[in-house]
Amino acid sequence: QVQLVESGGGLVQAGGSLRLSCTTSGRTFRSYPMGWFRQAPGKEREFVAAVSMSGGSTYSADSRFTISRDNAKNTVYLQMNSLKPEVTALYYCAAREGTVWRIASRADDYDYWGQGTQVTVSS
């Protein structure tokens, strides 16, 4: 079982930046490809970015967002720049079983989820 805890959300003005973090206490963190998703009220959960086990392969659905990981710290990050009000949502990190890198953009690709951290961008 992988327990994920997100942090770093908050209220920011449009044009600002935030860095989200997702940590786990599990020793097998480096064995999981990771992803970030977001969900706004009344909307479906939306894929944001994914990273391979090593961190050497990444994909972001939004060029303003960058995903990375530090396996020594059991942490995955989402750097978000030039924020706009439309990205206001609850942001989740997720871990996926499997070793082969692919752009896993469906929520049901992932096996473990955190509780989310709220990001609110004001205009």
Side-chain angles (χ1 to χ4, degrees), residues 100-123:
V100 177
W101 163 247
R102 61 183 179 90
I103 301 171
S105 61
R106 294 163 50 98
D108 60 10
D109 287 330
Y110 293 81
D111 302 283
Y112 308 102
W113 293 84
Q115 295 300 306
T117 185
Q118 178 68 37
V119 172
T120 302
V121 183
S122 64
S123 57

Side-chain angles (χ1 to χ4, degrees), residues 33-54:
M34 301 291 293
W36 284 97
F37 287 74
R38 65 188 178 206
Q39 189 166 19
K43 295 187 177 182
E44 292 187 355
R45 196 163 294 192
E46 179 184 22
F47 170 75
V48 176
V51 62
S52 63
M53 292 187 297
S54 68

Side-chain angles (χ1 to χ4, degrees), residues 1-6 22-35 69 74-76 93-98 110-115:
Q1 186 74 13
V2 178
Q3 294 183 327
L4 304 171
V5 179
E6 301 96 336
C22 172
T23 63
T24 178
S25 58
R27 294 184 296 173
T28 58
F29 172 76
R30 65 182 66 239
S31 300
Y32 297 95
M34 301 291 293
R69 68 190 295 164
N74 283 1
T75 303
V76 61
C93 73
R96 181 170 66 84
E97 298 278 3
Y110 293 81
D111 302 283
Y112 308 102
W113 293 84
Q115 295 300 306

Side-chain angles (χ1 to χ4, degrees), residues 50-113:
V51 62
S52 63
M53 292 187 297
S54 68
S57 296
T58 63
Y59 177 81
S60 175
D62 190 326
S63 60
R64 299 168 297 160
F65 294 2
T66 303
I67 189 171
S68 62
R69 68 190 295 164
D70 185 340
N71 285 339
K73 296 182 178 179
N74 283 1
T75 303
V76 61
Y77 303 99
L78 184 68
Q79 177 67 43
M80 305 186 296
N81 298 326
S82 302
L83 288 167
K84 299 180 180 180
E86 52 262 39
V87 305
T88 292
L90 191 60
Y91 281 71
Y92 297 91
C93 73
R96 181 170 66 84
E97 298 278 3
T99 58
V100 177
W101 163 247
R102 61 183 179 90
I103 301 171
S105 61
R106 294 163 50 98
D108 60 10
D109 287 330
Y110 293 81
D111 302 283
Y112 308 102
W113 293 84

